[in-house]
Amino acid sequence: MIRAALFTALACAAGLVSGPANARDLQPVRDLDLQRYAGVWHEIARLPNRFEDDCVGDITATYTPRDDGSIRVVNACRKEGGDIMSSEGEARQAGEHAAQLEVRFAPKWLSFLPFVWADYWVVALDENYQWALVGEPDLKYFWILSREPQLDAKTFEDLKARARGLGYDLGELVVVNPPQE
């Protein structure tokens, strides 16, 4: 989520459907209303990534649509010791679907370089925009996001099953905000 950091039916979340034949089969959600997606999202869990190594809690991403169609992204987290670390970036639509985005945290003057942009795909989304699964086509990066700081245990388990069905290996999942019992 710091670099980059939403669903259809939960019936598939039970693991009844196998994952994509390969990572390239992963698809973003068909309909994403960026105005509804805007706002604050709390990180519930993620796959390990170097850009969140110093984060120990209170991890959020705030998305603000801009007039030019891009999205202002502000990621923040609490470090050990209590200091807040934040990073500002930009997201832009990168494909035929609104949920197929790219994000960059490099300075704007470097935005012409393709390698400063990373895929940010909303691969599952609650119909009421209360939770989201975010990833990318290589299945290396993955986040479970929620509008609230915690999810209930059943929803959390359903989302993990959904992610596995999409092809994600959650063996090293970092749970930032454990579910409510």
Side-chain angles (χ1 to χ4, degrees):
M1 184 177 72
I2 293 297
R3 172 134 179 218
L6 231 150
F7 286 175
T8 352
L10 284 177
C12 294
L16 301 174
V17 176
S18 64
N22 64 56
R24 297 291 177 212
D25 291 339
L26 184 70
Q27 295 294 313
V29 297
R30 286 202 168 281
D31 298 311
L32 176 71
D33 180 337
L34 290 174
Q35 294 299 322
R36 288 183 68 195
Y37 191 74
V40 177
W41 289 90
H42 299 269
E43 181 178 296
I44 303 301
R46 68 173 181 270
L47 288 180
N49 61 67
R50 64 178 169 70
F51 35 88
E52 287 184 274
D53 284 346
D54 294 335
C55 296
V56 297
D58 301 324
I59 304 172
T60 60
T62 303
Y63 304 104
T64 307
R66 294 179 173 150
D67 291 339
D68 67 0
S70 68
I71 303 161
R72 178 178 183 244
V73 180
V74 177
N75 291 326
C77 71
R78 181 176 40 82
K79 297 175 9 179
E80 197 164 329
D83 290 340
I84 301 297
M85 174 175 73
S86 68
S87 180
E88 184 171 340
E90 176 182 20
R92 65 183 183 189
Q93 191 170 342
E96 61 188 61
H97 301 292
Q100 191 173 345
L101 303 165
E102 293 177 322
V103 65
R104 71 156 175 83
F105 290 92
K108 186 173 182 103
W109 63 272
L110 291 175
S111 63
F112 72 95
L113 297 170
F115 63 82
V116 303
W117 295 91
D119 288 318
Y120 177 104
W121 290 13
V122 179
V123 296
L125 178 65
D126 173 56
E127 67 182 26
N128 295 314
Y129 287 66
Q130 294 304 298
W131 52 256
L133 297 183
V134 174
E136 47 77 46
D138 290 328
L139 306 176
K140 271 182 56 180
Y141 298 103
F142 173 76
W143 293 267
I144 297 175
L145 305 179
S146 172
R147 291 294 191 182
E148 300 298 324
Q150 286 185 306
L151 290 170
D152 63 87
K154 181 181 181 335
T155 301
F156 184 61
E157 291 304 316
D158 288 347
L159 294 177
K160 290 192 309 183
R162 178 70 179 263
R164 286 185 197 99
L166 292 171
Y168 284 96
D169 177 357
L170 302 183
E172 295 183 30
L173 189 70
V174 176
V175 179
V176 179
N177 289 322
Q180 300 172 349
E181 294 300 325

